[in-house]
Amino acid sequence: MELRSQAVKQGLSRAPHRSLLKADGFIDREIEQPWVGIVCAANEVVPGHIHLQQVAEAVKAGVRMGGGTPMQFGVIGICDGIAMGHAGMRYSLPSREVIADSIELMVQAHAFDALVMIPNCDKIVPGMLMAAARLNLPTVVVSGGPMLAGRHAGKDVDFITVMEAQGAVEAELMDPAELAELEEAACPGCGSCAGLFTANSMNCLTEAIGLGLPGNGTIPAPHARRIRLAKEAGLAVMDILRKGRRPLDIITRSSLRNALAVDMAIGGSSNTVLHLLALAYEAGVDIDLREIQEVCDATPNLARISPAGGGRHHMQDLDEAGGIPAVMGELLKKGLVDPEVPCVAADRLGDLLKGKGTLNPEVIRPVEDPYMPTGGLAILYGNLAPEGAVVKQSAVPDNLLRHRGPARVFDAEEAAVEAMRSGRIREGDVVVIRYEGPRGGPGMREMLNPTATLAGMGMADKVVLVTDGRFSGGTRGAAVGHVSPEAAQGGPIALVEDGDLIELDVPGRVVRLEVPEEELQERRKAWRPPEPRVRTGYLAEYARRVSSASRGAVRLRD
């Protein structure tokens, strides 16, 4: 087994390098063994990350048992919940590129032989996956796992319950004292927020792609099984290092379609579309929104995890029902996943899925009895979104799956939320929030505040939202995001005026502005691009180089 690290540690000319390693406390045997970079996003800010050092210690134990030398280094991580609703959210999606870049710098500078990546929350998971594809070294991903749901008044609750409750208080539908009680109970400890929000969606899809071991997406953070899984991840990376199995052997069109099928089956966050497109871009796999729609149309929706289904089920319920192996086992019965792809846990995915199926049909429905015959997400097109838009159709109320209403147009999230709170949004309105895309935001903010405000006010089934920004994985309601091209690029969403009629037809995959083309052409002649909101620093550079959301909001290479 030829090791990359030999370039750093072998021979007479590397005596100075070995002396520095010995200053770290490494002995000759540790220096001679394969070097495994332990890429850990532990910090004291993000609830999903506060326990990751314990996970890292378990991974390192597994690496040592497997005959390797672990070397840990850190990665940044932004908490979307804490960044939500203010300027901080502009930095969340762009941090994905920083994470991938920083891992590349550390790994290439120090010649690691293999990697174990330990993420947990929103942009950290896809950022690490992108780095794995870019570096193409034997890699295993093991997340910190989901938070347990909280309990309040005899019901399971989570972060989204609190977000929606603040809207209820503003609408005088809830007493502030009850909100204070929820605030204490909703997030009971470490882990990524308890519903099928973006973080947990991506950790599940990491498992479905084959870069995480079974259980990666669903074993709760506080459970001892999570620590045992971390040790197994350390052992697994040594196994695939010996076999020479690399991420680009695993991240293929077939495995990405497997992940998409799982995404549709469980009703994951709409943000997964951005991240899977970005991962495909890094891996050199040509997948676009139309192929995503193809998988959606072929895949039944089998699970309704919070925020879908009214928050009745959470990640611990999905885990107890068999987790992602059970979901994939159900899909395999209909030939909806490819069992021949390799993964970090086996030479062939099908070997992991033998005998797997739902253990609780109330949580994971049998493939013969789905919630819907098509997947949890849908890609919409029309003259308002020529390059596409995304909606989490499993969280759209039945009465809004087809809707036609007047546009209420806002050029920033804050203006829309203020209108909601002041009672200026009416039943039947289509709220358009623009200039919040990857370039115009900049940073494509998540808009959980508007959707949670409407839900708390009892209007989630009365109003449609349309934006060139994006929505949280915790969003429920008729929330159409990722409208492309975005307003800052002169997309049609920039031309919408108050009172214009907008048609939403989720089953028909259409979002359409009912304005004659001649009128739109006149408006286009009068349109001028806005001044950049941010002129300096990382966000300004990001805005200059970022692609459309329809391509994953990636940093373009050319």
Side-chain angles (χ1 to χ4, degrees):
M1 177 174 55
E2 187 174 344
L3 301 176
R4 292 176 83 240
S5 59
Q6 287 175 347
V8 178
K9 65 191 181 187
Q10 194 173 63
L12 181 66
S13 65
R14 296 299 183 253
H17 304 65
R18 293 192 294 272
S19 71
L20 290 171
L21 290 161
K22 289 178 178 179
D24 289 334
F26 291 116
I27 63 174
D28 286 337
R29 179 173 174 179
E30 289 176 297
I31 295 171
E32 291 162 5
Q33 291 178 160
W35 293 359
V36 180
I38 309 301
V39 188
C40 183
N43 64 54
E44 296 181 353
V45 180
V46 185
H49 292 197
I50 55 172
H51 65 304
L52 292 190
Q53 189 56 47
Q54 184 182 12
V55 176
E57 294 303 328
V59 168
K60 289 187 278 189
V63 169
R64 293 187 183 105
M65 285 188 282
T69 299
M71 299 180 182
Q72 181 177 335
F73 62 90
V75 170
I76 65 165
I78 289 173
C79 178
D80 279 21
I82 297 173
M84 189 75 64
H86 58 91
M89 179 47 73
R90 292 197 175 106
Y91 292 84
S92 177
L93 182 60
S95 75
R96 186 185 68 181
E97 319 302 314
V98 174
I99 290 163
D101 290 349
S102 65
I103 294 170
E104 177 189 0
L105 293 170
M106 283 295 291
V107 171
Q108 298 291 47
H110 300 105
F112 290 111
D113 300 303
L115 302 167
V116 178
M117 298 185 172
I118 310 173
N120 216 25
C121 292
D122 294 73
K123 305 313 152 309
I124 299 87
V125 182
M128 289 190 178
L129 292 176
M130 291 162 66
R134 187 185 303 176
L135 293 163
N136 200 31
L137 297 174
T139 300
V140 176
V141 179
V142 57
S143 78
M147 186 185 293
L148 293 170
R151 293 286 291 175
H152 175 259
K155 296 180 180 179
D156 285 349
V157 293
D158 55 39
F159 173 73
I160 303 304
T161 316
V162 185
M163 289 293 296
E164 295 183 357
Q166 68 176 0
V169 170
E170 288 167 344
E172 299 183 350
L173 300 175
M174 178 184 287
D175 189 281
E178 185 174 357
L179 174 59
E181 292 174 3
L182 270 171
E183 182 181 324
E184 294 286 339
C187 300
C190 66
S192 45
C193 294
L196 193 60
F197 315 141
T198 305
N200 290 326
S201 296
M202 286 306 301
N203 283 324
C204 288
L205 299 195
T206 298
E207 186 178 334
I209 289 167
L211 284 176
L213 299 177
N216 177 70
T218 60
I219 296 173
H223 287 195
R225 285 171 57 216
R226 177 60 55 180
I227 298 304
R228 297 200 296 271
L229 185 76
K231 291 179 181 177
E232 294 290 351
L235 286 166
V237 78
M238 297 308 299
D239 182 52
I240 63 170
L241 174 61
R242 294 184 186 96
K243 291 177 177 177
R245 184 170 299 153
R246 296 170 179 264
L248 294 186
D249 299 324
I250 295 170
I251 306 169
T252 63
R253 175 175 297 282
S254 291
S255 70
L256 287 172
R257 286 181 67 97
N258 282 353
L260 285 167
V262 168
D263 197 10
M264 301 305 167
I266 62 178
S269 164
S270 59
N271 285 313
T272 58
V273 172
L274 285 175
H275 300 322
L276 289 177
L277 287 171
L279 177 58
Y281 182 75
E282 287 286 353
V285 178
D286 185 19
I287 284 181
D288 60 18
L289 289 177
R290 294 194 183 277
E291 186 161 359
I292 292 173
Q293 187 60 64
E294 176 188 317
V295 176
C296 176
D297 290 342
T299 308
N301 177 228
L302 305 181
R304 294 285 171 93
I305 309 300
S306 178
R312 190 161 63 98
H313 297 137
H314 287 80
M315 293 304 295
Q316 65 228 52
D317 303 305
L318 182 60
D319 184 62
E320 291 169 7
I324 300 308
V327 173
M328 298 188 84
E330 290 295 332
L331 295 177
L332 184 59
K333 295 174 184 177
K334 296 287 188 180
L336 296 171
V337 294
D338 181 354
E340 301 303 325
V341 295
C343 51
V344 296
D347 296 338
R348 179 180 173 274
L349 173 65
D351 294 337
L352 298 178
L353 302 183
K354 288 179 180 175
K356 299 295 184 182
T358 180
L359 303 179
N360 184 345
E362 291 187 5
V363 178
I364 302 172
R365 287 197 174 182
V367 72
E368 301 85 3
D369 181 30
Y371 282 102
M372 297 191 304
T374 59
L377 301 179
I379 309 300
L380 311 180
Y381 292 95
N383 68 343
L384 189 57
E387 294 179 6
V390 181
V391 64
K392 187 170 181 175
Q393 64 177 348
S394 60
V396 177
D398 289 345
N399 65 301
L400 292 179
L401 287 169
R402 288 185 172 91
H403 180 76
R404 182 173 176 267
R408 300 294 309 281
V409 183
F410 303 92
D411 288 349
E413 173 190 358
E414 291 84 354
V417 172
E418 193 280 327
M420 293 171 188
R421 290 173 175 169
S422 62
R424 290 185 283 125
I425 301 301
R426 309 294 185 188
E427 181 175 345
D429 284 348
V430 179
V431 176
V432 176
I433 308 175
R434 62 190 179 190
Y435 297 106
E436 291 286 6
R439 182 176 298 180
M444 202 178 185
R445 290 191 288 179
E446 275 187 352
M447 301 203 189
L448 182 55
N449 259 4
T451 58
T453 298
L454 288 174
M457 296 171 68
M459 295 184 68
D461 62 348
K462 298 177 175 64
V463 175
V464 171
L465 280 86
V466 176
T467 182
D468 55 5
R470 60 197 178 93
F471 292 108
S472 164
T475 289
R476 63 184 176 96
V480 179
H482 308 195
V483 170
S484 300
E486 63 175 288
Q489 291 181 298
I493 192 172
L495 309 179
V496 183
E497 296 181 358
D498 274 337
D500 288 346
L501 290 177
I502 293 177
E503 176 194 10
L504 174 66
D505 181 357
V506 176
R509 309 296 189 238
V510 170
V511 58
R512 188 169 67 88
L513 179 62
E514 294 187 0
V515 174
E517 183 59 32
E518 297 79 8
E519 171 66 18
L520 291 178
Q521 290 299 332
E522 289 301 313
R523 293 182 189 181
R524 186 173 300 283
K525 290 175 185 177
W527 178 81
R528 297 291 181 270
E531 291 295 317
R533 285 176 171 150
V534 179
R535 294 180 177 275
T536 61
Y538 179 72
L539 280 186
E541 177 64 20
Y542 175 85
R544 284 190 286 269
R545 299 181 62 188
V546 69
S547 78
S548 165
S550 63
R551 298 177 63 185
V554 297
R555 186 184 55 211
L556 295 172
R557 298 189 181 104
D558 49 22

